Amino acid sequence: SRVTRSLAISLQSCQCLAWKPRPVGVWPCPGESQHVVAGYSDGTVRVFSVSRTEMELKMHPHTAALTAITYSTDGEMILSGGKDGIVAISSPRTGMTIHVLADHRGSPITVLQCIRKQYHDLGVEGGELWLASSSDRRVSIWVSNWLQDKCELLDWLSFPAPADPEGLDSLPPSLAAFCPWEHSVLVYVGFGLQKEALFYSLRKKQVLRKIPLPAFATSLSLSPSAPFMAIGFGDRLLRLQPCPAGDPQDYAGHDDTVHLCRFAPSGRRLLTASHSAVLVWELTGA
């Protein structure tokens, strides 16, 4: 692979980024402009055009460094989370921040994720579900209708953990993701009473099952095409875990903590990253 474009040089550090999604049913056109949004250490959110290799918009919805960022599923809103736990929802069309949520205040946001929601799912109206997780093991789930300026808290989860952990130089991240193959379920991994992945039902308001892990996870991704999880660990291990049950497959191709796992939209490739290596895996059985 090679670098095809360099978008910008900044004195600030880029902490997180996300691609703008393409609307459902819309095929790419020749010359279509692709966009990425990036969150910076100075609290700014910047939108870049990849095709024109330039910054198109700069917003400043945060006073602290950004730690997570994503687009809404239609690409019409940008959700950003900061080191201070503040979540902001901003419009890339107007450059204005329309919501500021302080529910996670005091703990860095670790994950933001949006998914489309079918009408009447979970007994509430709205076109989109999204979640925010923070490093203090809290996860909030929201239902939104951006056209109607609606953003409603649907559920609030808090996972217990030992008060004084031993043998850990730093706590592993709190990570959550909606389950693509099981509606109204999210998966959570993080520091806790046990080393495990938890499957929580938003309908039943309870943990459905637990999958034991060899260590506390440092990264997580769920396949969009098959019931598989990719989980990274601090001892250079990558695990592919069938769900809800099955024998895991472990790989040791990294030289350091596997801090990033990302399935491709097809589910046939997996990207993982450590301190000095980025690996792309072909998943022939997915």
Side-chain angles (χ1 to χ4, degrees):
S1 63
R2 60 191 177 93
V3 176
T4 58
R5 293 178 175 89
S6 177
L7 292 178
I9 297 176
S10 173
L11 296 178
Q12 300 296 327
S13 171
C14 179
Q15 307 288 87
C16 48
L17 57 82
W19 285 93
K20 181 178 181 179
R22 186 174 290 117
V24 175
V26 176
W27 292 92
C29 301
E32 180 186 32
S33 177
Q34 291 181 314
H35 291 83
V36 294
V37 63
Y40 281 78
S41 57
D42 62 351
T44 59
V45 170
R46 311 182 195 194
V47 178
F48 296 92
S49 167
V50 177
S51 59
R52 292 197 295 270
T53 64
E54 65 182 18
M55 184 174 68
E56 292 189 345
L57 178 66
K58 179 179 178 180
M59 301 177 285
H60 204 154
H62 295 270
T63 59
L66 270 77
T67 52
I69 199 163
T70 191
Y71 275 97
S72 61
T73 55
D74 60 6
E76 293 299 314
M77 293 293 168
I78 294 171
L79 289 74
S80 53
K83 190 175 181 179
D84 56 1
I86 299 298
V87 175
I89 296 95
S90 307
S91 168
R93 290 185 180 271
T94 66
M96 297 181 63
T97 298
I98 60 173
H99 290 290
V100 176
L101 307 173
D103 301 73
H104 289 270
R105 183 188 294 276
S107 185
I109 301 298
T110 52
V111 176
L112 291 168
Q113 185 193 9
C114 299
I115 61 168
R116 288 185 177 86
K117 174 187 160 301
Q118 298 297 320
Y119 190 67
H120 289 319
D121 275 4
L122 305 173
V124 293
E125 295 185 8
E128 187 163 278
L129 282 176
W130 63 274
L131 64 78
S133 68
S134 50
S135 59
D136 58 358
R137 304 174 305 281
R138 295 183 295 170
V139 181
S140 59
I141 299 93
W142 305 76
V143 59
S144 298
N145 186 324
W146 306 119
L147 294 177
Q148 298 180 7
D149 195 28
K150 175 183 178 180
C151 187
E152 177 184 341
L153 181 65
L154 182 65
D155 208 340
W156 181 264
L157 312 178
S158 183
F159 295 93
D164 298 308
E166 295 182 0
L168 292 175
D169 295 330
S170 60
L171 293 182
S174 299
L175 305 173
F178 291 110
C179 187
W181 59 83
E182 195 168 357
H183 291 169
S184 306
V185 171
L186 65 84
V187 179
Y188 172 85
V189 296
F191 180 62
L193 301 176
Q194 303 292 333
K195 302 177 180 70
E196 58 193 2
L198 304 177
F199 286 71
Y200 178 86
S201 170
L202 296 171
R203 287 186 180 276
K204 298 181 179 181
K205 308 289 186 183
Q206 66 182 38
V207 174
L208 298 178
R209 58 187 172 274
K210 304 175 181 180
I211 294 180
L213 301 176
F216 291 117
T218 54
S219 54
L220 171 72
S221 185
L222 277 62
S223 170
S225 62
F228 272 88
M229 295 191 300
I231 308 169
F233 299 96
D235 56 358
R236 302 174 293 176
L237 180 71
L238 170 68
R239 168 167 288 191
L240 289 180
Q241 174 69 58
C243 300
D247 294 331
Q249 304 171 49
D250 291 339
Y251 303 91
H254 281 281
D255 59 356
D256 205 339
T257 297
V258 184
H259 62 77
L260 178 70
C261 297
R262 287 290 186 276
F263 277 102
S266 66
R268 296 181 179 179
R269 288 186 174 90
L270 173 69
L271 182 145
T272 60
S274 59
H275 175 70
S276 59
V278 177
L279 303 182
V280 179
W281 306 76
E282 294 280 351
L283 306 176
T284 56

